[in-house]
């Protein structure tokens, strides 16, 4: 409804008002007019009544007069005499009383004997007139119609009659007219004489009443007329007043109607406009659900329809955009851009419910290889299948998002820690079931790290970080699922720092080497030291090698460290040689280094650069490092041997090295793992293992070294087994180069005489250290005996 409706309504209102009022007025005028005409007829009738009454009165008067004349003897005498003068005198006598009256003497046959009228007025009358005395009788005398009444002259033997006639003249008619307003015309039958109140004697023809009064021998016609003009004069005034009132009523009705309509219309117009405006406002605020409903077909309604269509399109487009923005196009899962908001909402809900939630982050192992080896298409299909499997195992209220190329996040509401572990286990198993893609079965390995809200962290960011920490732990420890444990985070952060800061540490000199001497049991000589790396981190303090070596290995950064250690150790040997110290240095190299065919080349260059005899360098490789790729390791070790470098197999006894493999390796030395040595007691069963290992080494032509020698019992036992060299806290802890030099010089000085415990003890303090090297146990007597003896 709108403007169109308004004008339509207004026109209708005007039409209805005009027609209604017009009809009413017309009807009123019509009925008034007919009433007016009816009244006219009444007036005509009453004019006639009045005329009749007047005529009747006149008739009585005329009869009286005729009677009195007839009884007057003078009249009779005069008439008898037939003397006109005498008659004239008598008549004049009476006639004077009736000014216009004409007195007649009539014989019984109607012939007029004498009369007082003008000469020749009448000769012969209808004799019947003489007897009709009760009714008015008329005759024409001269130029006028007269009313006449006769009485017989009694005194007279020959019957004659006296009559009195008065004219029905204008004056008479004028009296009726002036009273009734009706024009009157009279005419006598058989006579052309007529009288009328109207000049020219013709009555207006429009409104007429004709009455015929019959009498003996003729009739009198009375015609009454009232001009319509006049009859309607009153009515005209009434009609025009009525028309004026009608007009005024119409005008008022239209005016107020228009006002009311205007009000309605303006409501009808402003309401839709307001609705539209509200609609626009809603759209501006991003609310698209409510259509604007304006019925009809006018401009506003069309505008509303267009608006609704536009609104729907915007909503549709926006939802598409939002979907694009919020969902991953490949998997249809929530994408990383909105995951933070969703997580926040979910955790808010969980917190309000006083519940707990589990955040699981899932990573596919070596997904890059799948992409690389099988192609992106298969990679994509795999991701889609993973998403599908995850989706079918989570609830709609859970958050399931793809947060990285091959990384997914699931946050499950109302979840306890123990159940979360089961679920993550189940999810991992589900994902590791073969995935069929293009007739090819792809087997995935996944890792899932889980953290609990609010137990582990009560913030969305914290929760995600901790689940990632758990994931990293899962990857590092090759576990399918890992639930975050308090402290893992700090370890993780530390690991990150360690990995990131290696280059900086090398540049800033935060790395340094400690040297732990190795003593030959027979000669009690120190001819070699093992270089053990330390990291004095500016923020984290002293980091033990166990912590960062593994990390660097996993992250393929170990070669940087190895190169630094080799260079530092070789440079140190060079220095010592210059100082006259006859020392070799053993450097630990890791599994990754063993895969590096350029290693021996680099070491060769290094030795060459520092002019160090290759014989003074020992390379320690662990059993397990060799076992990772025995062929390759064997090749690398061979090249090192060819350079003249010695090779020692470290941590012997912990791996599963087969004898046949061992035989093939180019080795010089076998180091029994300290785990067998450290706790050697009289009652421990480790003695047998050590004995057989020493024998094995010797059988293969290798020197046998025991490390982790902490007490004299071990020393004695190892000596009895024929072990060649020992290393351990009993002899010395890892020492700085300066400490070692001092230690070495003292050893040299006393070598010929005696090495007492006091000397050993004096080396006990190694600094600085966050994880201090354990204090060697004072076994004074035995040690001094051993070394001294
Ligand atoms: P490892 O090669 O077996 O080194 C011997 C470890 O035993 C050293 O620990 C040393 O301090 C410790 N030790 C020596 N005598 C005793 C003893 O009597 N009792 C006990 N309980 N422990 C003793 P450290 O220096 O913490 O080194 C740990 C491991 O780190 C080393 O084991 C080695 O595998 C690795 N490592 C150290 N430095 C380097 C390096 O420069 N490069 C590489 N790749 N690995 C290194
Ligand atoms: Ca070692
Ligand atoms: Ca070792």
């Amino acid at each position: 409804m709108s403007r169109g409706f308004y004008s339509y309504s207004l026109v209708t209102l005007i039409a209805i008002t005009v027609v209604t009022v017009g009809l009413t007025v017309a009807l009123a005028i019509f009925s008034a007019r007919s009433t007016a005409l009816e009244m006219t007829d009444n007036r005509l009738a009453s004019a006639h009544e009045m005329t009749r009454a007047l005529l009747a009165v006149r008739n009585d008067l005329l009869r009286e007069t005729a009677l009195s004349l007839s009884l007057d003897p003078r009249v009779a005498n005069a008439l008898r005499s037939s003397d006109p003068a005498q008659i004239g005198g008598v008549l004049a006598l009476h006639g004077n009383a009736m000014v216009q009256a004409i007195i007649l003497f009539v014989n019984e046959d109607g012939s007029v004997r004498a009369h007082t009228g003008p000469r020749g007025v009448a000769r012969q009358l209808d004799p019947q007139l003489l007897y009709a005395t009760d009714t008015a009788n008329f005759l024409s005398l001269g130029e006028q119609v007269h009313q006449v009444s006769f009485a017989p002259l009694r005194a007279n033997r020959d019957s004659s009659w006296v009559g009195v006639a008065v004219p029905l003249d204008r004056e008479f008619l004028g009296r009726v007219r002036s009273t009734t307003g009706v024009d009157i015309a009279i005419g006598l039958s058989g006579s052309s004489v007529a009288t009328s109140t109207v000049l020219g004697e013709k009555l207006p023809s429009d409104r007429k009443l004709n009455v015929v009064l019959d009498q003996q021998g003729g009739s009198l016609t009375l015609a009454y007329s009232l001009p319509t003009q006049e009859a309607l004069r009153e009515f005209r005034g009434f009609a025009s007043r009525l028309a004026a009132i009608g007009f005024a009523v119409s005008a008022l009705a239209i005016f107020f109607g228009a006002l009311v309509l205007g009000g309605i219309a303006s409501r009808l117009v402003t309401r839709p406009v307001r609705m539209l405006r509200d609609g626009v406002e809603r759209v501006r605020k991003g609310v698209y659900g409510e259509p604007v409903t304006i019925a009809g077909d006018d401009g506003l309604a069309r505008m509303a329809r267009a608006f609704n269509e536009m609104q729907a399109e915007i909503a549709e487009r926006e939802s598409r955009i939002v979907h694009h923005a919020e969902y991953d196009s490949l998997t249809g899962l929530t994408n990383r851009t909105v995951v933070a908001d969703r997580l926040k909402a979910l955790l808010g809900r969980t917190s309000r419910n006083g519940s707990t939630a589990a955040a699981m982050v899932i990573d596919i192992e070596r997904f890059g290889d799948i992409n690389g080896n099988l192609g992106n298409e298969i990679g994509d299909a795999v991701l889609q299948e993973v998403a599908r499997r995850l989706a079918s195992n989570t609830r709609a209220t859970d958050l399931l998002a793809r947060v990285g190329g091959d990384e997914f996040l699931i946050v499950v509401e109302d979840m306890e820690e123990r159940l979360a572990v089961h679920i993550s286990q189940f999810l991992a198993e589900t994902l590791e079931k073969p995935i069929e893609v293009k007739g090819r079965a792809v087997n995935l390995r996944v890792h899932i790290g889980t953290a609990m809200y609010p137990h582990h962290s009560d913030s969305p960011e914290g929760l995600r970080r901790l689940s990632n920490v758990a994931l990293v732990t899962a990857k590092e420890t090759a576990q399918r699922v890992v639930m975050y444990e308090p402290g893992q985070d700090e370890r993780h952060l530390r690991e990150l720092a360690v990995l990131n800061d290696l280059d900086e540490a090398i540049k800033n000199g935060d790395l340094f080497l400690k040297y732990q001497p190795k003593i030959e049991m027979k000669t009690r000589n120190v001819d070699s030291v093992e270089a053990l790396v330390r990291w004095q981190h500016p923020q984290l303090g002293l980091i033990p090698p166990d912590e960062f070596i593994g990390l660097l290995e996993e992250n393929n950064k170990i070669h940087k460290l190895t190169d630094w250690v080799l260079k530092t150790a070789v440079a140190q040997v060079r220095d010592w040689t210059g100082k006259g110290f006859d020392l070799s240095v053993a450097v630990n190299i890791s599994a990754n280094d063993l895969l590096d065919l350029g290693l021996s080349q680099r070491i060769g260059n290094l030795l060459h650069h520092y002019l160090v005899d290759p014989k003074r360098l020992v390379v320690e490789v662990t059993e397990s490092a060799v076992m990772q790729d025995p062929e390759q390791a064997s090749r690398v070790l061979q090249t090192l041997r060819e350079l003249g470098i010695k090779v020692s197999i470290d941590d012997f006894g912990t791996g599963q090295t087969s004898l046949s493999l061992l035989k093939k390796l180019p080795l010089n030395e076998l180091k029994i793992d300290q785990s067998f040595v450290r706790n050697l007691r009289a009652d421990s069963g480790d003695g047998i293992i050590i004995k057989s290992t020493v024998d094995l080494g010797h059988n293969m032509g290798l020197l046998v070294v025991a490390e982790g020698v902490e007490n004299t019992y071990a020393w004695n036992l190892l000596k009895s087994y024929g072990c060649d060299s020992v290393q351990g806290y009993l002899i010395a802890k890892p020492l700085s180069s300066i400490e070692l030099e001092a230690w070495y010089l003292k050893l040299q000085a006393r070598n010929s005489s005696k090495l007492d415990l006091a000397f050993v003890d004096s080396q006990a303090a190694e600094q600085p250290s966050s994880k201090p090297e354990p204090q060697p146990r004072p076994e004074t007597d035995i040690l001094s005996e051993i070394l001294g003896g």
Side-chain angles (χ1 to χ4, degrees), residues 530 532 588 620 650-651 671 707:
E530 182 180 0
L532 295 162
N588 294 282
E620 291 190 10
D650 205 355
D651 299 350
K671 256 181 139 174
E707 61 177 337

Side-chain angles (χ1 to χ4, degrees), residues 252-494:
L252 276 176
I254 290 169
F255 175 70
F256 286 111
L259 275 186
V260 171
L261 250 185
I264 293 169
S266 85
R267 270 200 55 202
L268 290 177
V269 172
T270 55
R271 211 170 75 101
V273 166
R274 202 171 44 238
M275 282 162 76
L276 274 170
R277 195 193 54 208
D278 292 349
V280 170
E281 187 61 21
R282 279 199 301 278
V283 166
R284 206 173 61 75
K285 287 180 182 157
V287 181
Y288 304 115
E290 232 176 287
V292 174
T293 6
I294 297 173
D297 199 34
D298 65 356
L300 281 170
R302 279 197 300 276
M303 201 189 276
R305 278 199 296 279
F307 172 80
N308 289 337
E309 278 164 24
M310 181 190 79
Q311 174 171 261
E313 275 169 29
I314 292 176
E316 213 260 333
R317 210 170 308 147
E318 195 184 279
S319 82
R320 264 211 310 273
I321 293 168
V322 166
H323 194 272
H324 263 298
E326 295 185 353
Y327 294 93
D328 172 46
S329 54
L330 179 66
T331 61
L333 303 184
T334 301
N335 69 24
R336 60 195 309 164
T337 47
V338 291
V339 76
D341 286 346
R342 295 292 160 81
L343 181 58
K344 204 170 153 192
L346 189 148
L347 295 183
R349 209 158 56 220
T350 306
S351 145
R352 279 193 298 280
N353 297 342
S355 184
T356 57
M360 306 173 186
V361 56
I362 299 162
D363 182 75
I364 302 171
E365 197 177 283
R366 292 168 180 267
F367 181 73
D369 290 355
I370 296 175
N371 258 346
N373 298 337
L374 307 178
N376 287 341
E377 208 178 316
I378 289 184
D380 285 353
V382 167
L383 289 174
Q384 281 168 339
E385 178 59 16
V386 166
R388 203 190 59 71
R389 290 183 186 184
L390 290 177
S392 61
N393 285 296
T394 46
R395 294 170 297 188
T397 47
D398 297 337
L399 170 60
L400 171 55
R402 184 179 174 208
V403 290
D406 60 344
E407 223 172 272
F408 299 85
L409 174 72
I410 299 179
V411 186
V412 193
E413 275 185 270
D414 298 325
M415 186 54 50
E416 286 171 9
E417 189 166 335
R418 270 191 12 212
L419 192 57
V421 171
H422 284 301
I423 287 184
S424 59
Q425 193 74 44
F426 170 76
L427 287 176
E429 280 162 16
T430 305
L431 296 180
E432 289 187 354
K433 283 184 186 138
I435 295 174
E436 283 277 337
V437 185
K438 299 201 164 177
R440 192 189 265 279
V442 180
N443 290 297
L444 298 184
R445 286 279 155 269
V446 300
H447 299 287
I448 304 182
T450 308
M452 299 301 299
Y453 172 90
H455 174 49
H456 293 143
S457 170
D458 60 0
S459 78
E461 302 79 22
L463 193 66
R464 283 193 70 188
R465 193 166 49 79
L466 297 188
S467 57
N468 271 312
V469 167
L471 177 66
V472 169
T473 310
K475 286 185 193 169
E476 281 171 2
T477 55
Q479 285 176 278
R480 259 188 187 151
V481 301
V482 167
M483 172 63 74
Y484 173 80
E485 278 168 31
Q488 249 175 32
D489 185 27
E490 292 69 43
R491 279 203 295 286
H492 179 61
L493 287 176
R494 216 174 139 93

Side-chain angles (χ1 to χ4, degrees), residues 675-720:
S675 61
F676 302 107
V677 180
R678 230 159 38 213
N679 300 315
L680 264 184
R681 298 275 188 283
D683 55 352
S684 74
D686 292 336
I688 312 292
I689 299 167
I690 293 170
K691 171 97 176 73
S692 53
T693 308
V694 171
D695 291 345
L696 173 77
H698 285 163
N699 286 338
M700 289 171 67
L702 306 174
L703 285 170
V704 177
V705 183
E707 61 177 337
V709 177
E710 293 183 355
N711 54 57
T712 47
Y713 179 80
W715 170 280
N716 289 329
L717 199 68
L718 287 163
K719 197 175 182 189
S720 73

Side-chain angles (χ1 to χ4, degrees), residues 516 530-534 545-546 549 558 561 565 588-590 620 650-651 674 678 707-710 728-729 734 773:
Q516 189 177 33
E530 182 180 0
L532 295 162
V533 70
R534 299 288 179 269
D546 287 330
I549 301 285
I558 193 69
L561 181 86
V565 173
N588 294 282
I589 65 169
S590 67
E620 291 190 10
D650 205 355
D651 299 350
Q674 48 177 293
R678 230 159 38 213
E707 61 177 337
V709 177
E710 293 183 355
Y729 293 162
E773 311 279 348

